[in-house]
Amino acid sequence: IILPKAFLIPLLIPLRMNFQTIASISPGSTYLHLAFRQARVKAAQKKRKGTRQQVLQRKETTKLDIITSSLTVSFQRILHDFPKEQELSPFYTQLVHLTLDYPHYKKSLGAVHWASGKVRELQRIYVSKIHKTGNFHSFHSQRQLSAQFYGRVSSVIKQINQELLYLEQARQIMKTYPDIKEMPTICIYGFPNVGKTTLLNALTGTKAKVADYAFTTTSINAGYCTINEKRVQVLDVPGSLARVDKMNLIEQQAELVLQSLADVVIFVFDVSGQYPFSVQQQLLAKVQEKMALRQEKKKVLVYLSRQQVYRGHQQNDEQFPWPALSIISMPVTTSLPQLREELAQFLLPPPEH
């Protein structure tokens, strides 16, 4: 995967974005029932003066006003909560495109905007019609106009119901986005089910889900730790299968972090035999090549995982280095304390000239 150049240059838009604050989206019928209930209750409570005809007119127009206000406030909140592309950093923009059906997302927000305007338009039309009813028109005529308004508004909401349902799906996905901060970033990278999330939990104290099957991690997990007395961001990304031209959307999230955020990459090398060493070395070489091409060359270190499985099957390789791992073209770390020491060296500030 080749990311646009915009993703490899300094970010001009603030990186942080709190997707957790997006309120849940209900089906269209829920918004309608709420608006109609508010109209009935508030219209009945309000005291009005004037002739009987004036009181009846004001009661009906008040219902229309309350329904319109309730629906438009709900729709404007949706439009306010969901981010627009121009409000997102390049990283989040690409993440949205990778994880959502972006044309459907834009269409859904456009539909909500249209519905908000359409309800206001119908309110102006029917309030005007009710005001034009004079003494020669009965109360039933006003009620009929209100009923027509209710029917047309209901039709508008029905038309956008599928878009509301999709926006709730989008919200659920966005809730999984990590809270990316502008700080030194470590990317934990490697094949699926090699212990990346276990390493994240060990380094940062997080409690991300761990399971013994591939692609347990389907989104980006974030944790934080202190190295050289500075807070560091650690991102555990979905596993890659070393198929550059055939990456699925889950794997592309890992590639996005690798190319746009990582200052240091921890390549988790599984020695249990689950994946051939030669295949893992090929992926490692590709990661090294990509990091070398970054605007500021980034560092890669190798961490051996599942060593206890290897030791259990290779009785003659009790002492490291193991001959079978001579295929790895760079030094490796074999323990968490050693890994922390390496990270401390990698993340030292550049020398002053």
Side-chain angles (χ1 to χ4, degrees), residues 249-264:
L249 296 180
I250 294 175
E251 293 174 273
Q252 289 179 37
Q253 293 181 53
E255 193 73 9
L256 175 62
V257 171
L258 190 70
Q259 294 200 37
S260 61
L261 295 179
D263 296 301
V264 175

Side-chain angles (χ1 to χ4, degrees), residues 302-313:
V302 177
Y303 176 76
L304 300 186
S305 72
R306 300 194 167 190
Q307 297 174 49
Q308 69 281 5
V309 178
Y310 183 92
R311 291 179 188 273
H313 289 87

Side-chain angles (χ1 to χ4, degrees), residues 315-330:
Q315 296 180 3
N316 297 327
D317 287 340
E318 288 297 326
Q319 300 298 321
F320 187 84
W322 302 321
L325 292 178
S326 60
I327 188 171
I328 301 179
S329 59
M330 60 187 295

Side-chain angles (χ1 to χ4, degrees), residues 50 55 109 117 121 127 135 185 201 207 225 253 281 300 343 346:
V55 168
L109 289 177
E121 176 188 339
V127 165
N135 293 329
T185 299
N201 293 342
K207 295 181 180 179
C225 62
Q253 293 181 53
Q281 170 58 29
V300 181
L343 290 172
F346 279 12

Side-chain angles (χ1 to χ4, degrees), residues 44-245:
Q45 292 174 342
K46 192 169 184 179
K47 303 294 183 181
R48 299 171 182 82
K49 296 181 179 180
T51 65
R52 182 175 181 275
Q53 178 67 20
Q54 292 171 334
V55 168
L56 294 176
Q57 281 183 341
R58 289 169 187 163
K59 183 175 182 179
E60 292 306 309
T61 56
T62 296
K63 290 180 182 178
L64 272 57
D65 293 343
I66 293 171
I67 290 171
T68 301
S69 175
S70 177
L71 291 173
T72 55
V73 166
S74 295
F75 294 159
Q76 290 303 312
R77 177 186 56 77
I78 293 173
L79 296 173
H80 175 269
D81 282 359
F82 279 92
K84 314 299 183 294
E85 187 165 13
Q86 62 270 24
E87 299 171 351
L88 295 172
S89 71
F91 170 77
Y92 280 125
T93 299
Q94 186 72 349
L95 187 58
V96 165
H97 280 270
L98 288 176
T99 56
L100 301 181
D101 179 348
Y102 190 70
H104 196 174
Y105 175 74
K106 282 188 66 176
K107 176 189 173 186
S108 298
L109 289 177
V112 173
H113 182 269
W114 167 81
S116 181
K118 190 65 177 178
V119 170
R120 286 195 295 267
E121 176 188 339
L122 291 171
Q123 183 255 358
R124 289 192 295 269
I125 291 172
Y126 280 91
V127 165
S128 176
K129 287 183 177 182
I130 290 174
H131 280 152
K132 289 177 181 178
T133 58
N135 293 329
F136 298 104
H137 293 79
S138 67
F139 168 65
H140 296 290
S141 298
Q142 296 172 10
R143 292 292 298 272
Q144 286 175 351
L145 290 171
S146 294
Q148 290 176 21
F149 170 80
Y150 301 155
R152 295 191 63 179
V153 166
S154 297
S155 177
V156 168
I157 305 307
K158 184 177 181 180
Q159 288 181 61
I160 68 164
N161 189 58
Q162 290 303 313
E163 277 62 46
L164 292 172
L165 296 177
Y166 180 74
L167 286 175
E168 175 57 18
Q169 293 178 23
R171 185 189 73 87
Q172 294 288 349
I173 293 171
M174 288 178 165
K175 280 178 61 179
T176 68
Y177 292 173
D179 180 14
I180 299 298
K181 298 177 172 61
E182 296 187 64
M183 60 173 60
T185 299
I186 298 168
C187 171
I188 303 178
Y189 195 89
F191 275 78
N193 196 33
V194 296
K196 297 186 300 297
T197 304
T198 299
L199 181 58
L200 171 76
N201 293 342
L203 281 173
T204 66
T206 57
K207 295 181 180 179
K209 179 182 178 182
V210 177
D212 192 21
Y213 53 84
F215 289 110
T216 304
T217 301
T218 57
S219 59
I220 302 163
N221 293 322
Y224 306 91
C225 62
T226 300
I227 298 177
N228 296 336
E229 299 182 353
K230 290 185 178 179
R231 292 287 284 171
V232 174
Q233 180 171 245
V234 185
L235 302 180
D236 161 37
V237 300
S240 174
L241 292 175
R243 47 187 187 184
V244 176
D245 298 326

